[in-house]
Amino acid sequence: MGSIDEEVSLLEAEESLIQEELKLYAEDGSIDIYGNPPLKQKTGNWKACPFIFANECCERLAYYGIAKNLITYFTNELHETNVAAARHVMTWQGTCYITPLIGALIADAYWGRYWTIACFSAIYFTGMVALTLSASVPGLKPAECIGSLCPPATTVQSTVLFSGLYLIALGTGGIKPCVSSFGADQFDKTDPSERVRKASFFNWFYFTINVGAFVSSTVLVWVQENCGWELGFLIPTVFMGLATISFFFGTPLYRFQKPKGSPITRVCQVLVAAYRNFNLKFSEDQCAGFLTKPQLYPKEKPNLIHGSSIYTLFVQQGRSMKRTIGSFEIPPATLGMFDTASVLISVPIYDRLIVPFVRRFTGLAKGFTELQRMGIGLFVSVLSLTFAAIVETVRLQLARDLDLVESGDTVPLTIFWQIPQYFLMGTAGVFFFVGRIEFFYEQSPDSMRSLCSAWALLTTTLGNYLSSMIITVVAYLSGKDCWIPSDNINNGHLDYFFWLLVCLGFVNIPVFVFFSVKYPHKKV
């Protein structure tokens, strides 16, 4: 009897030892660089995040180093009108948010997130080099204005410039939908403690994005307008190279999820097979077997949220306001630093103070659900646009009172009145954009995480294209009295455009609340 008890005890001890050994490895199906189950102490978690954060910070510095002040480059260096420049910038930014569908499909179905990020980073860097050359080589940029005569860009000059910009758009399409998901993959979803850290990861991921954006809004914008666009584009090109190098340095610490095949490719394969087998005949037994087999498909939910990039119009608004402190002139795009400063302040407050406080009432480890967080962000963004509309209304009234409408001179209203609208927009991003990233990661099946992140980015594209379309339609219908005139914004009604966005925002919020209440949220 004693021998049986000893044998049972040995079996229990062996089973316990096996369980303890299993806890040393991630159990979410990930592998390390050698294809083995990853040890938790040596891979993933916060240990791998600094390299991913550094990559994202440098890449976003490069992107915003272009995007933040691109409208100024189009108007001052390429001699474009305000309407044409805004249309070019919004279309390019919209494209940057639609190309992630390509990168996401490749990542989910074929290469995996790691290699997709690596390969598209090379495309991104190539585009940066082309853009820098277009601003540096004399024959690749338009000649300077002679009096009121400003020669437009030639076909060759435009080709090099737009080739660089759209290579960047393609490159970012392979990075944006994969980096946040790849970072979240470093946390084992089967481990409760790592699940909580993953929720915090999304906050700090957005924080690093805005560190890069903050440097772009301050240092790079100043360099571009005071030291030249050659250096202003060269610096983000160098940082894009550093972003790629940083990403590779962390390779031994990463956990990798094997590509499981995208449902999109499987649907296409089914359609092709159905077409080829259209005339095939099946026996009754084959048909019966097919009909009695249960077919299970993941349930997908529609997303009706859209975002709009109006920062280019904030810059145009600021350019017509008082921008001098003594002899120093403030570049209008520099005010974007208050957007990013808001994020840098709000993320630690949200992660360390708001979440623990709200957790007491909701019982959720992350405080709010993703949809609740997004709803708060939408409301704050409408407040930001409301403030921008009020500032523009006051600015235009001053222009009329001081007889500055026809001359187009700067209105003596300090540009610092724009700070609240930038600050509120940054705070809105902490709620909406972080909530959106986390929502699409948590609510999507493993084989569609990159693709669902791309769909989230697509909503921003729709907003950009909608803004571009509205500007174009308004310019066409209103003629010389359009809302955003080509040469004199004092003679327009940018305030009407802001108020239109405010109205659209107030329509959007109840629609969003209705669908978020109906959504069967997965609690994590």
Side-chain angles (χ1 to χ4, degrees), residues 5-187:
D5 290 339
E6 288 177 3
E7 189 174 339
V8 171
S9 298
L10 286 173
L11 288 173
E12 290 177 349
E14 185 177 353
E15 184 178 349
S16 177
L17 185 63
I18 292 172
Q19 292 298 326
E20 289 295 326
E21 187 176 348
L22 286 174
K23 290 180 181 179
L24 298 176
Y25 296 88
E27 300 176 15
D28 59 350
S30 59
I31 57 175
D32 61 17
I33 187 60
Y34 305 107
N36 302 317
L39 275 168
K40 288 187 176 182
Q41 291 185 345
K42 294 185 177 180
T43 64
N45 219 312
W46 290 118
K47 292 184 292 296
C49 289
F51 300 96
I52 298 171
F53 287 155
N55 170 269
E56 183 64 11
C57 179
C58 292
E59 188 273 328
R60 290 290 88 186
L61 185 149
Y63 174 79
Y64 287 116
I66 299 167
K68 287 279 185 180
N69 210 22
L70 186 58
I71 192 167
T72 302
Y73 184 73
F74 272 111
T75 53
N76 289 0
E77 301 298 317
L78 299 182
H79 315 137
E80 296 272 8
T81 64
N82 287 333
V83 171
R87 185 167 57 244
H88 284 316
V89 172
M90 288 183 179
T91 302
W92 174 73
Q93 288 181 335
T95 305
C96 288
Y97 285 91
I98 200 171
T99 53
L101 291 172
I102 300 171
L105 184 62
I106 292 173
D108 285 340
Y110 304 106
W111 293 355
R113 287 185 264 276
Y114 175 83
W115 285 111
T116 302
I117 295 170
C119 294
F120 278 79
S121 292
I123 297 173
Y124 197 124
F125 183 74
T126 303
M128 292 293 301
V129 171
L131 181 64
T132 303
L133 290 175
S134 73
S136 305
V137 178
L140 296 180
K141 59 181 180 180
E144 294 183 1
C145 295
I146 303 175
S148 60
L149 181 63
C150 298
T154 65
T155 302
V156 173
Q157 292 166 349
S158 297
T159 300
V160 174
L161 171 66
F162 284 103
S163 295
L165 285 175
Y166 283 92
L167 278 174
I168 292 169
L170 178 60
T172 196
I175 298 173
K176 288 181 73 68
C178 297
V179 173
S180 60
S181 296
F182 185 70
D185 287 344
Q186 307 307 309
F187 299 89

Side-chain angles (χ1 to χ4, degrees), residues 171-490:
T172 196
I175 298 173
K176 288 181 73 68
C178 297
V179 173
S180 60
S181 296
F182 185 70
D185 287 344
Q186 307 307 309
F187 299 89
D188 185 357
K189 64 183 179 182
T190 65
D191 186 328
S193 63
E194 290 200 16
R195 264 203 318 268
V196 174
R197 295 185 198 121
K198 181 168 63 178
S200 186
F201 161 81
F202 289 109
N203 293 326
W204 293 106
F205 177 79
Y206 192 64
F207 181 90
T208 59
I209 289 175
N210 284 273
V211 169
F214 184 81
V215 175
S216 299
S217 300
T218 52
V219 178
L220 286 184
V221 169
W222 185 87
V223 168
Q224 288 166 353
E225 299 212 0
N226 293 275
C227 301
W229 292 92
E230 302 90 341
L231 184 60
F233 286 152
L234 177 62
I235 292 174
T237 301
V238 172
F239 272 95
M240 187 59 218
L242 293 176
T244 305
I245 294 171
S246 168
F247 183 72
F248 281 112
F249 273 167
T251 300
L253 299 176
Y254 295 148
R255 297 175 186 172
F256 304 85
Q257 292 284 349
K258 293 181 179 179
K260 298 178 173 65
S262 172
I264 301 299
T265 58
R266 290 198 289 270
V267 168
C268 293
Q269 290 168 352
V270 169
L271 293 175
V272 171
Y275 175 78
R276 289 179 176 175
N277 299 329
F278 184 76
N279 293 321
L280 289 181
K281 294 182 179 180
F282 294 90
S283 66
E284 292 183 5
D285 293 339
Q286 288 174 316
C287 293
F290 176 77
L291 293 173
T292 55
K293 272 187 181 177
Q295 306 294 316
L296 301 177
Y297 300 96
K299 188 182 291 184
E300 297 182 16
K301 298 293 178 182
N303 175 34
L304 302 180
I305 307 167
H306 68 271
S308 177
S309 176
I310 44 81
Y311 289 104
T312 53
L313 297 179
F314 282 9
V315 172
Q316 287 186 340
Q317 181 188 45
R319 191 168 291 283
S320 298
M321 301 172 73
K322 182 184 177 185
R323 299 183 283 120
T324 56
I325 301 178
S327 60
F328 179 75
E329 184 173 298
I330 303 169
T334 305
L335 268 290
M337 65 180 286
F338 291 100
D339 175 298
T340 51
S342 171
V343 174
L344 301 183
I345 294 169
S346 300
V347 166
I349 293 174
Y350 181 86
D351 194 69
R352 301 302 180 189
L353 297 178
I354 296 178
V355 169
F357 177 76
V358 174
R359 186 185 296 151
R360 300 175 185 176
F361 302 96
T362 63
L364 295 174
K366 53 188 159 189
F368 297 107
T369 67
E370 295 94 346
L371 293 177
Q372 288 170 343
R373 185 172 182 174
M374 291 163 68
I376 295 171
L378 282 176
F379 178 74
V380 177
S381 68
V382 173
L383 294 181
S384 170
L385 291 169
T386 302
F387 202 95
I390 293 172
V391 168
E392 183 61 14
T393 301
V394 173
R395 193 192 69 79
L396 289 176
Q397 186 60 51
L398 273 175
R400 287 190 287 270
D401 293 343
L402 298 175
D403 198 21
L404 300 175
V405 173
E406 297 301 326
S407 66
D409 291 341
T410 299
V411 174
L413 181 68
T414 177
I415 195 173
F416 292 119
W417 278 108
Q418 284 192 310
I419 291 177
Q421 66 200 55
Y422 278 105
F423 201 88
L424 286 170
M425 195 62 75
T427 304
V430 172
F431 284 91
F432 182 81
F433 290 111
V434 180
R436 187 182 67 176
I437 293 171
E438 189 175 0
F439 175 80
F440 277 91
Y441 181 87
E442 295 291 358
Q443 304 297 315
S444 60
D446 292 342
S447 61
M448 292 184 66
R449 287 209 161 120
S450 296
L451 184 62
C452 287
S453 295
W455 280 114
L457 296 170
L458 183 63
T459 61
T460 303
T461 301
L462 298 177
N464 281 319
Y465 286 159
L466 179 60
S467 297
S468 180
M469 183 188 71
I470 291 174
I471 290 174
T472 303
V473 170
V474 167
Y476 175 77
L477 294 178
S478 58
K480 65 178 183 179
D481 298 321
C482 66
W483 292 357
I484 310 174
S486 300
D487 53 358
N488 180 7
I489 200 172
N490 290 351

